[in-house]
PDB file of all heavy atoms in Angstrom:
ATOM      1  N   ILE V  10      12.151  32.131 -13.526  1.00 96.00           N
ATOM      2  CA  ILE V  10      12.954  31.081 -14.158  1.00 96.00           C
ATOM      3  C   ILE V  10      12.757  29.750 -13.432  1.00 96.00           C
ATOM      4  O   ILE V  10      12.552  28.709 -14.073  1.00 96.00           O
ATOM      5  CB  ILE V  10      14.448  31.484 -14.175  1.00 96.00           C
ATOM      6  CG1 ILE V  10      14.685  32.607 -15.181  1.00 96.00           C
ATOM      7  CG2 ILE V  10      15.335  30.278 -14.514  1.00 96.00           C
ATOM      8  CD1 ILE V  10      16.090  33.169 -15.181  1.00 96.00           C
ATOM      9  N   THR V  13       9.304  28.307 -14.080  1.00 96.00           N
ATOM     10  CA  THR V  13       9.232  27.788 -15.445  1.00 96.00           C
ATOM     11  C   THR V  13       9.924  26.429 -15.542  1.00 96.00           C
ATOM     12  O   THR V  13       9.432  25.519 -16.235  1.00 96.00           O
ATOM     13  CB  THR V  13       9.876  28.785 -16.427  1.00 96.00           C
ATOM     14  OG1 THR V  13       9.251  30.062 -16.289  1.00 96.00           O
ATOM     15  CG2 THR V  13       9.726  28.304 -17.862  1.00 96.00           C
ATOM     16  N   ILE V  14      11.049  26.278 -14.871  1.00 96.00           N
ATOM     17  CA  ILE V  14      11.758  24.989 -14.866  1.00 96.00           C
ATOM     18  C   ILE V  14      10.889  23.907 -14.234  1.00 96.00           C
ATOM     19  O   ILE V  14      10.757  22.803 -14.777  1.00 96.00           O
ATOM     20  CB  ILE V  14      13.095  25.110 -14.109  1.00 96.00           C
ATOM     21  CG1 ILE V  14      14.076  25.978 -14.900  1.00 96.00           C
ATOM     22  CG2 ILE V  14      13.711  23.729 -13.859  1.00 96.00           C
ATOM     23  CD1 ILE V  14      15.364  26.299 -14.154  1.00 96.00           C
ATOM     24  N   ASP V  16       7.566  23.852 -13.859  1.00 94.00           N
ATOM     25  CA  ASP V  16       6.400  23.578 -14.705  1.00 94.00           C
ATOM     26  C   ASP V  16       6.779  22.725 -15.913  1.00 94.00           C
ATOM     27  O   ASP V  16       6.055  21.788 -16.286  1.00 94.00           O
ATOM     28  CB  ASP V  16       5.767  24.889 -15.176  1.00 94.00           C
ATOM     29  CG  ASP V  16       5.088  25.647 -14.043  1.00 94.00           C
ATOM     30  OD1 ASP V  16       4.771  25.014 -13.012  1.00 94.00           O
ATOM     31  OD2 ASP V  16       4.880  26.871 -14.183  1.00 94.00           O
ATOM     32  N   GLU V  17       7.908  23.015 -16.538  1.00 94.00           N
ATOM     33  CA  GLU V  17       8.320  22.281 -17.726  1.00 94.00           C
ATOM     34  C   GLU V  17       8.780  20.873 -17.375  1.00 94.00           C
ATOM     35  O   GLU V  17       8.445  19.905 -18.070  1.00 94.00           O
ATOM     36  CB  GLU V  17       9.436  23.042 -18.441  1.00 94.00           C
ATOM     37  CG  GLU V  17       9.961  22.372 -19.708  1.00 94.00           C
ATOM     38  CD  GLU V  17       8.947  22.283 -20.828  1.00 94.00           C
ATOM     39  OE1 GLU V  17       7.840  22.882 -20.709  1.00 94.00           O
ATOM     40  OE2 GLU V  17       9.242  21.621 -21.845  1.00 94.00           O
ATOM     41  N   PHE V  18       9.538  20.737 -16.304  1.00 94.00           N
ATOM     42  CA  PHE V  18      10.036  19.410 -15.931  1.00 94.00           C
ATOM     43  C   PHE V  18       8.905  18.488 -15.481  1.00 94.00           C
ATOM     44  O   PHE V  18       8.896  17.301 -15.823  1.00 94.00           O
ATOM     45  CB  PHE V  18      11.087  19.525 -14.829  1.00 94.00           C
ATOM     46  CG  PHE V  18      11.681  18.194 -14.432  1.00 94.00           C
ATOM     47  CD1 PHE V  18      12.432  17.451 -15.329  1.00 94.00           C
ATOM     48  CD2 PHE V  18      11.460  17.672 -13.162  1.00 94.00           C
ATOM     49  CE1 PHE V  18      12.963  16.213 -14.983  1.00 94.00           C
ATOM     50  CE2 PHE V  18      11.992  16.435 -12.801  1.00 94.00           C
ATOM     51  CZ  PHE V  18      12.744  15.711 -13.715  1.00 94.00           C
ATOM     52  N   ARG V  20       5.998  18.581 -16.550  1.00 90.00           N
ATOM     53  CA  ARG V  20       5.214  18.257 -17.745  1.00 90.00           C
ATOM     54  C   ARG V  20       5.867  17.189 -18.601  1.00 90.00           C
ATOM     55  O   ARG V  20       5.212  16.251 -19.060  1.00 90.00           O
ATOM     56  CB  ARG V  20       4.991  19.533 -18.574  1.00 90.00           C
ATOM     57  CG  ARG V  20       4.080  19.344 -19.784  1.00 90.00           C
ATOM     58  CD  ARG V  20       4.073  20.567 -20.676  1.00 90.00           C
ATOM     59  NE  ARG V  20       5.364  20.767 -21.345  1.00 90.00           N
ATOM     60  CZ  ARG V  20       5.733  20.109 -22.451  1.00 90.00           C
ATOM     61  NH1 ARG V  20       4.934  19.207 -22.995  1.00 90.00           N
ATOM     62  NH2 ARG V  20       6.907  20.362 -22.997  1.00 90.00           N
ATOM     63  N   CYS V  21       7.196  17.294 -18.806  1.00 89.00           N
ATOM     64  CA  CYS V  21       7.842  16.423 -19.797  1.00 89.00           C
ATOM     65  C   CYS V  21       8.864  15.454 -19.213  1.00 89.00           C
ATOM     66  O   CYS V  21       9.357  14.572 -19.924  1.00 89.00           O
ATOM     67  CB  CYS V  21       8.514  17.268 -20.875  1.00 89.00           C
ATOM     68  SG  CYS V  21       9.908  18.241 -20.264  1.00 89.00           S
ATOM     69  N   GLU V  23      11.913  15.838 -18.601  1.00 90.00           N
ATOM     70  CA  GLU V  23      13.229  16.015 -19.201  1.00 90.00           C
ATOM     71  C   GLU V  23      13.935  17.202 -18.552  1.00 90.00           C
ATOM     72  O   GLU V  23      13.310  18.247 -18.336  1.00 90.00           O
ATOM     73  CB  GLU V  23      13.110  16.263 -20.714  1.00 90.00           C
ATOM     74  CG  GLU V  23      12.585  15.082 -21.509  1.00 90.00           C
ATOM     75  CD  GLU V  23      13.574  13.925 -21.568  1.00 90.00           C
ATOM     76  OE1 GLU V  23      14.793  14.177 -21.376  1.00 90.00           O
ATOM     77  OE2 GLU V  23      13.137  12.787 -21.804  1.00 90.00           O
ATOM     78  N   PRO V  24      15.241  17.066 -18.208  1.00 92.00           N
ATOM     79  CA  PRO V  24      15.980  18.197 -17.632  1.00 92.00           C
ATOM     80  C   PRO V  24      15.855  19.440 -18.507  1.00 92.00           C
ATOM     81  O   PRO V  24      15.820  19.354 -19.740  1.00 92.00           O
ATOM     82  CB  PRO V  24      17.426  17.696 -17.581  1.00 92.00           C
ATOM     83  CG  PRO V  24      17.299  16.206 -17.517  1.00 92.00           C
ATOM     84  CD  PRO V  24      16.098  15.864 -18.351  1.00 92.00           C
ATOM     85  N   VAL V  25      15.757  20.584 -17.871  1.00 94.00           N
ATOM     86  CA  VAL V  25      15.500  21.829 -18.586  1.00 94.00           C
ATOM     87  C   VAL V  25      16.796  22.634 -18.700  1.00 94.00           C
ATOM     88  O   VAL V  25      17.461  22.915 -17.698  1.00 94.00           O
ATOM     89  CB  VAL V  25      14.433  22.667 -17.863  1.00 94.00           C
ATOM     90  CG1 VAL V  25      14.121  23.941 -18.656  1.00 94.00           C
ATOM     91  CG2 VAL V  25      13.162  21.843 -17.654  1.00 94.00           C
ATOM     92  N   GLY V  26      17.165  23.001 -19.926  1.00 92.00           N
ATOM     93  CA  GLY V  26      18.381  23.768 -20.165  1.00 92.00           C
ATOM     94  C   GLY V  26      18.084  25.211 -20.523  1.00 92.00           C
ATOM     95  O   GLY V  26      16.918  25.614 -20.700  1.00 92.00           O
ATOM     96  N   SER V  27      19.132  25.998 -20.673  1.00 92.00           N
ATOM     97  CA  SER V  27      18.985  27.431 -20.935  1.00 92.00           C
ATOM     98  C   SER V  27      18.315  27.709 -22.277  1.00 92.00           C
ATOM     99  O   SER V  27      17.527  28.659 -22.408  1.00 92.00           O
ATOM    100  CB  SER V  27      20.350  28.114 -20.870  1.00 92.00           C
ATOM    101  OG  SER V  27      21.255  27.527 -21.798  1.00 92.00           O
ATOM    102  N   LYS V  28      18.605  26.903 -23.298  1.00 92.00           N
ATOM    103  CA  LYS V  28      18.012  27.134 -24.617  1.00 92.00           C
ATOM    104  C   LYS V  28      16.501  26.926 -24.579  1.00 92.00           C
ATOM    105  O   LYS V  28      15.738  27.667 -25.204  1.00 92.00           O
ATOM    106  CB  LYS V  28      18.652  26.221 -25.656  1.00 92.00           C
ATOM    107  CG  LYS V  28      20.104  26.570 -25.958  1.00 92.00           C
ATOM    108  CD  LYS V  28      20.693  25.663 -27.030  1.00 92.00           C
ATOM    109  CE  LYS V  28      22.151  26.023 -27.326  1.00 92.00           C
ATOM    110  NZ  LYS V  28      22.735  25.133 -28.352  1.00 92.00           N
ATOM    111  N   THR V  29      16.079  25.893 -23.838  1.00 93.00           N
ATOM    112  CA  THR V  29      14.639  25.642 -23.697  1.00 93.00           C
ATOM    113  C   THR V  29      13.974  26.798 -22.966  1.00 93.00           C
ATOM    114  O   THR V  29      12.891  27.260 -23.352  1.00 93.00           O
ATOM    115  CB  THR V  29      14.397  24.329 -22.916  1.00 93.00           C
ATOM    116  OG1 THR V  29      14.990  23.242 -23.625  1.00 93.00           O
ATOM    117  CG2 THR V  29      12.909  24.074 -22.732  1.00 93.00           C
ATOM    118  N   LEU V  30      14.631  27.280 -21.916  1.00 94.00           N
ATOM    119  CA  LEU V  30      14.064  28.383 -21.132  1.00 94.00           C
ATOM    120  C   LEU V  30      13.931  29.660 -21.959  1.00 94.00           C
ATOM    121  O   LEU V  30      12.963  30.412 -21.796  1.00 94.00           O
ATOM    122  CB  LEU V  30      14.932  28.645 -19.897  1.00 94.00           C
ATOM    123  CG  LEU V  30      14.750  27.643 -18.744  1.00 94.00           C
ATOM    124  CD1 LEU V  30      15.831  27.827 -17.694  1.00 94.00           C
ATOM    125  CD2 LEU V  30      13.369  27.808 -18.124  1.00 94.00           C
ATOM    126  N   MET V  31      14.885  29.911 -22.857  1.00 94.00           N
ATOM    127  CA  MET V  31      14.802  31.106 -23.696  1.00 94.00           C
ATOM    128  C   MET V  31      13.508  31.116 -24.505  1.00 94.00           C
ATOM    129  O   MET V  31      12.908  32.166 -24.740  1.00 94.00           O
ATOM    130  CB  MET V  31      16.010  31.173 -24.637  1.00 94.00           C
ATOM    131  CG  MET V  31      17.308  31.572 -23.963  1.00 94.00           C
ATOM    132  SD  MET V  31      18.698  31.664 -25.139  1.00 94.00           S
ATOM    133  CE  MET V  31      18.197  33.084 -26.138  1.00 94.00           C
ATOM    134  N   LYS V  32      13.065  29.936 -24.929  1.00 93.00           N
ATOM    135  CA  LYS V  32      11.838  29.827 -25.711  1.00 93.00           C
ATOM    136  C   LYS V  32      10.585  29.950 -24.836  1.00 93.00           C
ATOM    137  O   LYS V  32       9.534  30.405 -25.297  1.00 93.00           O
ATOM    138  CB  LYS V  32      11.801  28.496 -26.454  1.00 93.00           C
ATOM    139  CG  LYS V  32      12.944  28.299 -27.433  1.00 93.00           C
ATOM    140  CD  LYS V  32      12.910  26.893 -28.026  1.00 93.00           C
ATOM    141  CE  LYS V  32      14.106  26.648 -28.941  1.00 93.00           C
ATOM    142  NZ  LYS V  32      14.127  25.243 -29.457  1.00 93.00           N
ATOM    143  N   LEU V  33      10.708  29.538 -23.579  1.00 94.00           N
ATOM    144  CA  LEU V  33       9.539  29.503 -22.695  1.00 94.00           C
ATOM    145  C   LEU V  33       9.285  30.817 -21.971  1.00 94.00           C
ATOM    146  O   LEU V  33       8.136  31.142 -21.664  1.00 94.00           O
ATOM    147  CB  LEU V  33       9.708  28.393 -21.653  1.00 94.00           C
ATOM    148  CG  LEU V  33       9.748  26.950 -22.179  1.00 94.00           C
ATOM    149  CD1 LEU V  33      10.094  25.983 -21.056  1.00 94.00           C
ATOM    150  CD2 LEU V  33       8.401  26.567 -22.803  1.00 94.00           C
ATOM    151  N   LEU V  34      10.345  31.544 -21.677  1.00 94.00           N
ATOM    152  CA  LEU V  34      10.186  32.794 -20.932  1.00 94.00           C
ATOM    153  C   LEU V  34       9.546  33.877 -21.801  1.00 94.00           C
ATOM    154  O   LEU V  34       9.830  33.965 -22.995  1.00 94.00           O
ATOM    155  CB  LEU V  34      11.545  33.273 -20.424  1.00 94.00           C
ATOM    156  CG  LEU V  34      12.221  32.364 -19.383  1.00 94.00           C
ATOM    157  CD1 LEU V  34      13.641  32.829 -19.106  1.00 94.00           C
ATOM    158  CD2 LEU V  34      11.414  32.323 -18.090  1.00 94.00           C
ATOM    159  N   ASP V  35       8.698  34.687 -21.205  1.00 91.00           N
ATOM    160  CA  ASP V  35       7.998  35.721 -21.986  1.00 91.00           C
ATOM    161  C   ASP V  35       8.685  37.079 -21.882  1.00 91.00           C
ATOM    162  O   ASP V  35       8.064  38.125 -22.068  1.00 91.00           O
ATOM    163  CB  ASP V  35       6.541  35.836 -21.538  1.00 91.00           C
ATOM    164  CG  ASP V  35       6.399  36.146 -20.059  1.00 91.00           C
ATOM    165  OD1 ASP V  35       7.447  36.335 -19.395  1.00 91.00           O
ATOM    166  OD2 ASP V  35       5.256  36.202 -19.561  1.00 91.00           O
ATOM    167  N   VAL V  38      15.968  37.489 -22.566  1.00 92.00           N
ATOM    168  CA  VAL V  38      17.098  37.252 -21.676  1.00 92.00           C
ATOM    169  C   VAL V  38      18.071  36.332 -22.395  1.00 92.00           C
ATOM    170  O   VAL V  38      17.653  35.412 -23.121  1.00 92.00           O
ATOM    171  CB  VAL V  38      16.630  36.640 -20.329  1.00 92.00           C
ATOM    172  CG1 VAL V  38      15.931  35.306 -20.546  1.00 92.00           C
ATOM    173  CG2 VAL V  38      17.781  36.504 -19.353  1.00 92.00           C
ATOM    174  N   SER V  40      21.078  33.494 -23.053  1.00 92.00           N
ATOM    175  CA  SER V  40      21.361  32.151 -22.557  1.00 92.00           C
ATOM    176  C   SER V  40      22.364  32.199 -21.408  1.00 92.00           C
ATOM    177  O   SER V  40      22.240  31.464 -20.420  1.00 92.00           O
ATOM    178  CB  SER V  40      21.901  31.282 -23.699  1.00 92.00           C
ATOM    179  OG  SER V  40      22.204  29.985 -23.246  1.00 92.00           O
ATOM    180  N   ILE V  43      20.660  33.275 -18.203  1.00 95.00           N
ATOM    181  CA  ILE V  43      19.852  32.172 -17.666  1.00 95.00           C
ATOM    182  C   ILE V  43      20.753  31.162 -16.960  1.00 95.00           C
ATOM    183  O   ILE V  43      20.426  30.684 -15.861  1.00 95.00           O
ATOM    184  CB  ILE V  43      19.051  31.493 -18.795  1.00 95.00           C
ATOM    185  CG1 ILE V  43      17.972  32.429 -19.318  1.00 95.00           C
ATOM    186  CG2 ILE V  43      18.416  30.193 -18.291  1.00 95.00           C
ATOM    187  CD1 ILE V  43      17.201  31.882 -20.501  1.00 95.00           C
ATOM    188  N   ARG V  44      21.886  30.846 -17.562  1.00 93.00           N
ATOM    189  CA  ARG V  44      22.792  29.877 -16.941  1.00 93.00           C
ATOM    190  C   ARG V  44      23.309  30.396 -15.599  1.00 93.00           C
ATOM    191  O   ARG V  44      23.438  29.628 -14.634  1.00 93.00           O
ATOM    192  CB  ARG V  44      23.960  29.567 -17.884  1.00 93.00           C
ATOM    193  CG  ARG V  44      23.585  28.673 -19.058  1.00 93.00           C
ATOM    194  CD  ARG V  44      24.821  28.070 -19.721  1.00 93.00           C
ATOM    195  NE  ARG V  44      25.666  29.117 -20.297  1.00 93.00           N
ATOM    196  CZ  ARG V  44      25.535  29.577 -21.532  1.00 93.00           C
ATOM    197  NH1 ARG V  44      24.579  29.101 -22.324  1.00 93.00           N
ATOM    198  NH2 ARG V  44      26.345  30.515 -21.998  1.00 93.00           N
ATOM    199  N   MET V  47      20.525  30.021 -13.123  1.00 95.00           N
ATOM    200  CA  MET V  47      20.359  28.606 -12.780  1.00 95.00           C
ATOM    201  C   MET V  47      21.452  28.160 -11.810  1.00 95.00           C
ATOM    202  O   MET V  47      21.209  27.349 -10.900  1.00 95.00           O
ATOM    203  CB  MET V  47      20.374  27.749 -14.053  1.00 95.00           C
ATOM    204  CG  MET V  47      19.142  27.942 -14.932  1.00 95.00           C
ATOM    205  SD  MET V  47      19.280  27.116 -16.541  1.00 95.00           S
ATOM    206  CE  MET V  47      19.066  25.409 -16.081  1.00 95.00           C
ATOM    207  N   SER V  62      22.542  15.117 -18.692  1.00 66.00           N
ATOM    208  CA  SER V  62      22.183  16.307 -19.455  1.00 66.00           C
ATOM    209  C   SER V  62      22.806  17.540 -18.812  1.00 66.00           C
ATOM    210  O   SER V  62      23.128  17.556 -17.633  1.00 66.00           O
ATOM    211  CB  SER V  62      20.657  16.461 -19.506  1.00 66.00           C
ATOM    212  OG  SER V  62      20.296  17.725 -19.993  1.00 66.00           O
ATOM    213  N   SER V  63      22.946  18.591 -19.603  1.00 72.00           N
ATOM    214  CA  SER V  63      23.441  19.855 -19.074  1.00 72.00           C
ATOM    215  C   SER V  63      22.314  20.651 -18.425  1.00 72.00           C
ATOM    216  O   SER V  63      22.549  21.701 -17.837  1.00 72.00           O
ATOM    217  CB  SER V  63      24.051  20.689 -20.203  1.00 72.00           C
ATOM    218  OG  SER V  63      23.072  20.945 -21.202  1.00 72.00           O
ATOM    219  N   GLY V  64      21.078  20.140 -18.550  1.00 86.00           N
ATOM    220  CA  GLY V  64      19.932  20.831 -17.966  1.00 86.00           C
ATOM    221  C   GLY V  64      19.846  20.616 -16.458  1.00 86.00           C
ATOM    222  O   GLY V  64      20.646  19.908 -15.859  1.00 86.00           O
ATOM    223  N   ARG V  65      18.867  21.259 -15.864  1.00 92.00           N
ATOM    224  CA  ARG V  65      18.663  21.155 -14.421  1.00 92.00           C
ATOM    225  C   ARG V  65      17.271  20.577 -14.143  1.00 92.00           C
ATOM    226  O   ARG V  65      16.360  20.669 -14.959  1.00 92.00           O
ATOM    227  CB  ARG V  65      18.766  22.520 -13.737  1.00 92.00           C
ATOM    228  CG  ARG V  65      20.035  23.288 -13.981  1.00 92.00           C
ATOM    229  CD  ARG V  65      21.252  22.632 -13.341  1.00 92.00           C
ATOM    230  NE  ARG V  65      22.359  23.572 -13.195  1.00 92.00           N
ATOM    231  CZ  ARG V  65      23.166  23.938 -14.184  1.00 92.00           C
ATOM    232  NH1 ARG V  65      22.966  23.464 -15.405  1.00 92.00           N
ATOM    233  NH2 ARG V  65      24.164  24.786 -13.962  1.00 92.00           N
TER     234      ARG V  65
END
Side-chain angles (χ1 to χ4, degrees):
I10 289 174
T13 305
I14 291 173
D16 290 340
E17 180 65 8
F18 182 65
R20 185 189 68 81
C21 66
E23 294 291 338
V25 183
S27 58
K28 291 182 180 179
T29 300
L30 283 169
M31 286 181 68
K32 299 174 184 176
L33 295 173
L34 295 172
D35 57 3
V38 60
S40 179
I43 291 176
R44 286 197 297 271
M47 291 172 74
S62 168
S63 59
R65 305 292 199 282

